[in-house]
Amino acid sequence: MTDQRDVVTLVGSLRRGSYNAAIARSLPALAPEGMRIAALGSVGEFPLYNADIQDAGFPSAATAMGEAIAKADGVIIITPEYNYSIPGALKNAIDWLSRLPSQPFAGKPVALQSASTGLLGGARAQYHLRQSLVFLDAFVLNKPEVMVGQVATKVDATSGELKDQATRDFIAGQLRAFSAFIGKHGTPASP
Ligand SMILES: Cc1cc2nc3c(=O)[nH]c(=O)nc-3n(C[C@H](O)[C@H](O)[C@H](O)COP(=O)(O)O)c2cc1C
């Protein structure tokens, strides 16, 4: 019997037709046996980080997402690259989550995926994201790295589905590796 892995996804784009969101939607069907994948809320629900707002009480988007991450066995972040780094909305959400009294990324297995219309598939953004996750003490899967270049040719424009089979197979391989990684490095998620 395979252990159950409950994994949540966080998307760095707010765009309705986001390619990264399309990849996130493809994940449940690509997950290995025993891995359940559910979407977290939108990073667009967070106000801009301001310690004065925090002093008056954390926004509900931050506490709700923090609780969902704490309960999960792992997190997959799927993000575009903006100007060689991560989108401000994603960084803002991470900044809020990082200030929660029980910081939910500490010791949490995390896998990264990025997609871009350019050739490099958001590689540079992933390395900036890894840097923040070091400070948050997350356990980030090293390889395989999922960086989907020229993503506009790989997502069906009408259905919004990730249709490129080689990309689907590669992502499925990362999810299998992530399942094994959670088995080795994950601590039991909080109830
Ligand atoms: C503000 C901005 C900055 C961008 N910077 C980069 C970049 O540095 N590297 C890159 O590969 N693509 C860059 N792009 C193009 C994105 O890869 C493309 O817009 C992609 O579709 C965004 O992801 P999404 O479809 O999930 O929203 C940028 C796009 C925007 C709007």
Side-chain angles (χ1 to χ4, degrees):
M1 200 182 104
T2 316
D3 286 338
Q4 184 70 41
R5 314 257 190 261
D6 278 310
V7 169
V8 290
T9 56
L10 184 57
V11 173
S13 175
L14 303 179
R15 202 167 70 82
R16 203 171 32 242
S18 164
Y19 294 120
N20 285 276
I23 289 176
R25 286 194 304 273
S26 76
L27 299 183
L30 301 176
E33 195 195 331
M35 181 182 276
R36 272 197 309 234
I37 302 185
L40 290 169
S42 167
V43 295
E45 290 164 9
F46 292 72
L48 283 179
Y49 180 79
N50 179 335
D52 297 336
I53 299 178
Q54 181 187 325
D55 289 345
F58 277 92
S60 57
T63 46
M65 194 177 286
E67 281 167 19
I69 290 172
K71 275 197 197 131
D73 298 305
V75 182
I76 304 174
I77 303 178
I78 310 106
T79 185
E81 175 173 284
Y82 281 179
N83 298 309
Y84 286 14
S85 187
I86 65 172
L90 175 61
K91 180 63 163 54
N92 181 58
I94 290 173
D95 290 343
W96 272 113
L97 294 165
S98 75
R99 306 315 289 177
L100 287 169
S102 184
Q103 196 271 97
F105 281 107
K108 189 68 61 181
V110 175
L112 305 182
Q113 301 179 355
S114 57
S116 124
T117 48
L119 282 177
L120 295 186
R124 293 158 293 216
Q126 284 203 22
Y127 282 91
H128 277 192
L129 187 49
R130 279 182 187 272
Q131 188 172 320
S132 292
L133 291 167
V134 167
F135 182 60
L136 296 186
D137 212 14
F139 291 154
V140 184
L141 176 74
N142 283 330
K143 293 200 283 187
E145 295 178 300
V146 170
M147 295 155 176
V148 183
Q150 298 186 306
V151 66
T153 65
K154 296 170 182 167
V155 170
D156 186 275
T158 315
S159 65
E161 273 176 62
L162 177 66
K163 62 176 185 193
D164 184 71
Q165 194 56 46
T167 305
R168 293 177 69 87
D169 293 345
F170 195 72
I171 289 175
Q174 192 207 44
L175 297 180
R176 285 194 299 275
F178 193 43
S179 181
F181 184 80
I182 290 171
K184 268 195 216 143
H185 301 290
T187 47
S190 60

